[in-house]
Amino acid sequence: MKLILSLLFLSLRFPSFFHPAAARGGERTSSISGFMVDNNAIRGRHLFQENHFQKLDNLAHGYMTNSDLENAIKAFGNRCPSISRIYSIGKSVKGVPLWVMEISDNPGKEEAEPAFKFIGNVHGDEPVGRELLLLLANWLCDNYGKDPLATLIVNNVHLHILPSMNPDGFLLRQRGNANNIDLNRDFPDQFFSINDDLGARQPETKAIMSWLKEIHFTASASLHGGAIVANYPWDGTQDGRKYYYACPDDKTFKFLASVYSRSHHNMSLSEEFQGGITNGASWYPIYGGMQDWNYIHGGCFELTLEISDNKWPTANELPTLWEINKMSMLNLVAVLVKTGVHGRIFSSDCGRPLPASIAVERINYTIKATEAYADYHRLLAPGEKYDVVAKMPGYKSKSTSILLAEEAMTVDFILDPVITPMGSLLGSGCDFSRDNKSRLQLVEYFPRLHLEISLTLVVVILVFLCFLLRRRAILNYLKHRESVGPKRSNVAV
């Protein structure tokens, strides 16, 4: 009933809601939405679709097919096994695996490092991203240990690359998936009750949502076509109208979008978008988008990147598109470790890691530290003063003020358990007999303290041994005196 009322409200308040834009950065209305529903119109629509398919099919020459893409991903994994892992997050409607390439110096292992994901080919007729993401992966493989930026990323970030979210749409040369659903309108929305039925969501959408439950992503970006601009939240507004609608981290998102735009050959020179960036709702509102959902439900700062003004350029343009987007892609990933506030959170009573929340005063948005290592990575716009707060139920909150410059800062927190009136520790859950991992992490986190304690212990043991040896020598001497009688004194006469 709630869904029906919401849809009725939308249709009455802003009917254009039901004619979503053909791309996040492309045509504002559907190319075929103007046809009347009569026999001539149906024939015209079919003719248009056939001509459109044939045009895109001709353009597809030189692009990887879905089989080519799968083989290229597996070939990459075989070529770079020491810094990569290949896995699938699910399957498309037609059963095509959604392959991901993870790139890290410890692929497949959870570490106290930020994670970033790239997603390409969200719309089937926007295939540039799938090609560029394969080039990015291979560039990192070829330049790891040689190029400082490649080495920085591989050693300090877990990068996950999904070249194609919509392989069925690519095969069919259409925007939507095999069910003709726009995947960038298929996520739960914060303003309207759409896509709330889990069973009604597309398998590709479900795969992305499950992916974010498994991996704690700090930031991400999806690659689209139809414009040259970096788009950031919010993508929609409460009343469906077009105007700038800022999310709580508006300054941070503008900074991230600018990192991409400034590194691009011509994005920042845009005449349509100041600085080559735009707030989504200011451009044109969409609902059920992946970008806003990532930020709200995944704690993940996502951008929507429009990387080619032509949705499906000819294949001979791909090398140029790679060159003008390469540094933008690399710098966007690297910003996860080059700026922001990072740290770990522990309990003071036994040093166990705490998956506490990190909040920033005057920003209505919190992130959580990871369960295993209690590490957090809070992206913030540099050049500002921030009050960072760590809090967790059962523990006393702690805060600190920082002035974030251009470089990243490390701020660690050690939280004290709340003491109840009965004298017990409300937040304590220490049990090293079953929590060896926590004890190991504590030793890793406090190496200097661990060394000092070890040295002190060694000194105490040595002093104690000396005392025992001296005591034994004195006892032996006394026994000897008793056996031989009193010793004469040498007195000078």
Side-chain angles (χ1 to χ4, degrees):
M1 188 64 184
K2 182 181 178 183
L3 174 60
I4 294 173
L5 291 174
S6 296
L7 292 175
L8 181 61
F9 169 79
L10 291 173
S11 64
L12 293 174
R13 187 63 183 266
F14 38 95
S16 62
F17 175 84
F18 293 94
H19 299 279
R24 189 62 195 121
E27 300 89 346
R28 303 305 173 89
T29 58
S30 174
S31 300
I32 59 176
S33 63
F35 284 94
M36 300 298 292
V37 183
D38 57 28
N39 290 335
N40 291 329
I42 292 173
R43 284 195 296 272
R45 177 179 294 186
H46 287 166
L47 180 61
F48 175 87
Q49 289 174 338
E50 290 172 4
N51 292 338
H52 184 64
F53 179 90
Q54 186 62 48
K55 177 183 177 182
L56 295 183
D57 203 43
N58 292 335
L59 287 173
H61 291 295
Y63 282 80
M64 289 181 288
T65 65
N66 286 335
S67 296
D68 293 337
L69 180 62
E70 181 174 355
N71 292 334
I73 291 172
K74 292 180 178 179
F76 165 79
N78 292 331
R79 193 167 73 87
C80 304
S82 62
I83 63 166
S84 71
R85 173 177 72 105
I86 308 302
Y87 66 99
S88 172
I89 61 171
K91 293 183 178 180
S92 68
V93 172
K94 290 184 174 293
V96 179
L98 304 177
W99 293 109
V100 175
M101 299 174 286
E102 180 188 4
I103 301 175
S104 166
D105 58 341
N106 288 299
K109 296 180 181 178
E110 189 171 0
E111 298 181 284
E113 295 180 351
F116 188 100
K117 62 179 168 66
F118 271 122
I119 299 178
N121 203 198
V122 178
H123 294 135
D125 59 350
E126 298 171 14
V128 173
R130 50 192 272 151
E131 299 281 342
L132 265 56
L133 290 176
L134 253 297
L135 291 170
L136 174 66
N138 281 286
W139 186 89
L140 288 169
C141 176
D142 294 337
N143 291 277
Y144 175 58
K146 304 172 185 176
D147 182 90
L149 190 55
T151 306
L152 173 75
I153 290 172
V154 175
N155 286 345
N156 298 283
V157 179
H158 280 259
L159 175 60
H160 299 255
I161 299 175
L162 172 63
S164 179
M165 179 183 170
N166 189 3
D168 296 349
F170 173 82
L171 178 65
L172 296 170
R173 310 295 189 248
Q174 66 184 28
R175 177 183 176 83
N177 67 350
N179 292 329
N180 206 20
I181 299 298
D182 187 331
L183 298 178
N184 202 35
R185 308 292 188 274
D186 194 45
F187 288 81
D189 189 76
Q190 63 173 321
F191 300 122
F192 304 105
S193 298
I194 57 175
N195 309 323
D196 289 341
D197 182 1
L198 176 62
R201 294 186 200 124
Q202 300 303 298
E204 298 91 345
T205 307
K206 293 178 183 178
I208 297 296
M209 295 174 72
S210 297
W211 196 18
L212 263 75
K213 291 180 181 179
E214 296 175 5
I215 299 178
H216 195 95
F217 288 105
T218 300
S220 63
S222 62
L223 305 184
H224 295 252
I228 304 292
V229 67
N231 180 95
Y232 56 90
W234 296 124
D235 262 342
T237 58
Q238 288 181 310
D239 57 8
R241 297 179 181 177
K242 173 186 171 181
Y243 53 88
Y244 196 112
Y245 201 59
C247 73
D249 276 289
D250 187 62
K251 286 184 179 180
T252 301
F253 272 109
K254 289 172 69 174
F255 164 71
L256 294 174
S258 295
V259 167
Y260 196 93
S261 177
R262 290 195 304 266
S263 303
H264 195 275
H265 279 236
N266 52 25
M267 186 178 287
S268 63
L269 304 177
S270 172
E271 296 181 0
E272 181 180 2
F273 307 100
Q274 185 176 0
I277 66 175
T278 185
N279 171 264
S282 177
W283 188 8
Y284 62 95
I286 71 168
Y287 300 90
M290 183 168 65
Q291 174 177 268
D292 287 6
W293 182 87
N294 266 268
Y295 178 63
I296 296 169
H297 298 282
C300 176
F301 288 58
E302 177 158 299
L303 299 177
T304 302
L305 303 173
E306 304 286 348
I307 58 174
S308 62
D309 51 8
N310 189 343
K311 284 189 174 189
W312 202 312
T314 57
N316 59 14
E317 295 180 55
L318 291 173
T320 301
L321 289 169
W322 161 243
E323 287 301 324
I324 64 178
N325 282 281
K326 178 177 71 175
M327 288 309 301
S328 294
M329 297 167 75
L330 292 168
N331 286 334
L332 184 60
V333 179
V335 80
L336 266 64
V337 292
K338 285 188 170 184
T339 189
V341 185
H342 310 261
R344 299 176 72 182
I345 310 167
F346 289 90
S347 171
S348 64
D349 55 344
C350 60
R352 72 186 181 100
L354 298 177
S357 297
I358 292 292
V360 179
E361 296 290 344
R362 297 178 298 280
I363 298 179
N364 185 25
Y365 186 79
T366 60
I367 63 169
K368 285 198 68 176
T370 63
E371 293 282 344
Y373 290 95
D375 61 303
Y376 73 90
H377 309 277
R378 183 53 163 101
L379 296 177
L380 292 165
E384 301 269 344
K385 182 180 180 181
Y386 299 100
D387 295 317
V388 184
V389 184
K391 50 188 176 182
M392 183 172 178
Y395 288 83
K396 299 176 182 177
S397 299
K398 284 191 177 179
S399 64
T400 184
S401 295
I402 63 167
L403 179 60
L404 184 63
E406 294 297 326
E407 296 182 351
M409 288 189 67
T410 299
V411 178
D412 302 308
F413 291 93
I414 300 177
L415 303 185
D416 300 320
V418 174
I419 301 176
T420 67
M422 300 299 293
S424 61
L425 300 180
L426 185 61
S428 181
C430 301
D431 184 0
F432 282 140
S433 62
R434 60 178 177 85
D435 197 7
N436 292 325
K437 187 176 182 181
S438 297
R439 180 165 49 187
L440 178 61
Q441 290 168 353
L442 178 61
V443 171
E444 291 175 349
Y445 181 65
F446 294 119
R448 203 178 342 177
L449 178 61
H450 176 67
L451 179 62
E452 292 175 358
I453 293 173
S454 299
L455 290 174
T456 303
L457 186 60
V458 169
V459 171
V460 170
I461 291 173
L462 289 175
V463 170
F464 183 67
L465 288 175
C466 289
F467 170 75
L468 291 178
L469 291 173
R470 182 177 178 82
R471 183 172 179 271
R472 184 174 181 180
I474 293 172
L475 290 174
N476 289 338
Y477 171 74
L478 293 175
K479 288 180 181 179
H480 178 72
R481 283 193 59 184
E482 291 176 357
S483 62
V484 300
K487 185 178 180 180
R488 289 187 180 182
S489 301
N490 295 321
V491 179
V493 178

